[in-house]
Amino acid sequence: MTLTALGLPTVRGDADAMAARDAPASGPLVDTYGRVATDLRVSLTDRCNLRCTYCMPAEGLDWLPSEALLRPDELARLLRIAVIRLGITSVRFTGGEPLLARHLEEVVAAAAALRPRPEISLTTNGLGLDRRAAALAAAGLDRVNVSLDTVDPAHFEAITRRDRMSDVLAGLAAAKRAGFEPVKVNAVLDPATGREDVVGLLRFCLEHGYQLRIIEQMPLDAGHQWRRGAALSADDVLAALRPHFRLRPDPAPRGSAPAELWLVDEGPGGPSGKVGLIASVSHPFCSTCDRVRLTADGQVRNCLFARQETDLRGLLRSGADDDAIEAAWRAAMWVKAAGHGINDPGFIQPDRPMSSIGG
């Protein structure tokens, strides 16, 4: 059945809309390059209680109205379609800040009740995680990633515009007590202090048994101020770490994981572990991408940098059946571009900032 026959809302160009008509009606969630999406990122809100300089202005943003956000029952239905019909095997809840969503435990439990059961994870800034980690584990959450860009309190306050580092550290400790394994730390390094911050941050993670993931700063800020020459690359980070740590490439196959892993230690008698580098800009991994995103207002994005979306919320609220929603989702994924295009001369940053898209 064609998109036109289904009456599916879309903001694609004519060429993409024509190509989407050829999307497979069953099987895995695949695109024209043969990539299969099995990892669903679900944003629960665009709101955040930090104001990180690389993400949003000090005064915040104009948040989505509550009626625009997907309700828990709508989320549960889309999760069921994603897992049972589209073959999604991993669900990650994001924001904004997902801990600001009161229904977080409810949607985690809905995902955990699905069969086959997907792996369920959460990306959070950690504020309030100390109070909810145990409940989230009981609801079925498997893993957690906590954003922490530095362990220097002054640098933390300068980056986030909030004096809340102690709350993040408390959230990390609570996640470990709740049994999440591994507890990962996501860091976006400040161009001015990052070379210094990353050494202390990695040492802190090794000592506490956390796994550090360093993410290159990407052009997803609300002010569109990102400049390639200002951000630290993965190679810059490795150069900053090598004088302090022994680093060896992880021999395990990377597969579709976004992070390139390194085995790391400080020498005999010291703690050891792994550190991951997510080099989305300097070393793109688009050819192995297995991710698809659902925004808090119910839009499917087949790439973090996509400039088109497909409106599943509109379908839900207009009474569409599961077949129509599945077809729209498949069509959206089918026309995914070969790459994000950051390094192309004509690259245009998405209108939505990261807090509105979800990680």
Side-chain angles (χ1 to χ4, degrees):
M1 186 175 292
T2 67
L3 289 172
T4 302
L6 287 168
L8 301 182
T10 176
V11 295
R12 290 190 196 90
D14 291 342
D16 278 354
M18 290 180 65
R21 295 182 303 181
D22 299 325
S26 61
L29 187 57
V30 65
D31 64 36
T32 56
Y33 296 92
R35 294 168 297 191
V36 176
T38 57
D39 184 345
L40 173 62
R41 308 296 173 96
V42 181
S43 174
L44 299 179
T45 178
D46 61 330
R47 296 173 183 264
C48 190
N49 41 15
L50 296 180
R51 297 292 182 269
C52 295
T53 55
Y54 52 81
C55 187
M56 66 177 68
E59 64 274 15
L61 298 167
D62 292 330
W63 310 124
L64 290 165
S66 58
E67 62 270 17
L69 304 180
L70 291 174
R71 302 186 303 266
D73 63 304
E74 293 172 328
L75 282 163
R77 184 179 173 194
L78 291 178
L79 287 170
R80 177 174 53 78
I81 291 171
V83 170
I84 295 176
R85 288 174 170 249
L86 300 175
I88 293 295
T89 60
S90 176
V91 175
R92 176 178 296 277
F93 293 108
T94 70
E97 174 43 53
L99 289 176
L100 294 177
R102 297 177 182 175
H103 56 284
L104 174 58
E105 288 85 353
E106 181 180 349
V107 294
V108 167
L114 293 169
R115 295 296 180 271
R117 185 192 189 282
E119 180 185 59
I120 308 166
S121 56
L122 175 74
T123 295
T124 170
N125 65 24
L127 302 187
L129 183 59
D130 57 329
R131 300 187 299 273
R132 296 174 72 176
L136 286 166
L141 190 68
D142 298 310
R143 292 194 299 103
V144 65
N145 288 39
V146 178
S147 298
L148 179 63
D149 303 329
T150 177
V151 289
D152 182 295
H155 292 176
F156 180 94
E157 185 171 358
I159 293 169
T160 66
R161 302 187 179 103
R162 297 290 187 271
D163 182 15
R164 303 292 300 275
M165 195 178 89
S166 61
D167 297 306
V168 180
L169 299 183
L172 278 165
K176 192 169 185 179
R177 289 195 303 272
F180 298 124
E181 182 62 35
V183 175
K184 295 182 181 180
V185 171
N186 289 352
V188 177
L189 300 176
D190 184 86
T193 64
R195 289 178 175 83
E196 171 190 350
D197 289 335
V198 72
V199 175
L201 189 57
L202 180 52
R203 189 168 285 131
F204 165 81
C205 289
L206 292 176
E207 290 172 352
H208 288 82
Y210 307 140
Q211 286 192 16
L212 178 61
R213 296 290 185 271
I214 302 160
I215 305 169
E216 287 184 341
Q217 193 175 125
M218 293 179 282
L220 290 167
D221 58 305
H224 291 205
Q225 299 300 307
W226 178 88
R227 296 294 179 269
R228 182 185 310 278
L232 295 178
S233 69
D235 291 340
D236 293 330
V237 173
L238 289 173
L241 292 176
R242 282 196 169 103
H244 305 275
F245 303 94
R246 296 194 303 187
L247 295 166
R248 293 167 292 140
D250 188 345
R254 178 176 173 179
S256 61
E260 180 183 10
L261 295 182
W262 295 76
L263 306 179
V264 56
D265 64 71
E266 290 189 276
S272 61
K274 295 181 180 182
V275 61
L277 297 177
I278 301 178
S280 304
V281 177
S282 64
H283 301 287
F285 41 87
C286 301
S287 64
T288 59
C289 180
D290 64 351
R291 287 166 291 287
V292 60
R293 288 171 169 80
L294 181 66
T295 67
D297 56 346
Q299 310 300 306
V300 166
R301 296 177 66 90
N302 58 29
C303 174
L304 191 57
F305 293 91
R307 296 188 59 79
Q308 293 84 33
E309 299 177 336
T310 295
D311 182 12
L312 297 189
R313 183 193 62 193
L315 287 173
L316 288 168
R317 295 182 182 179
S318 65
D321 62 16
D322 287 358
D323 289 342
I325 294 171
E326 177 187 357
W329 205 325
R330 289 184 180 280
M333 203 64 203
W334 183 245
V335 295
K336 181 174 180 174
H340 54 48
I342 293 175
N343 299 306
D344 296 343
F347 172 75
I348 300 175
Q349 184 172 333
D351 294 329
R352 287 204 198 219
M354 187 69 165
S355 63
S356 180
I357 296 172

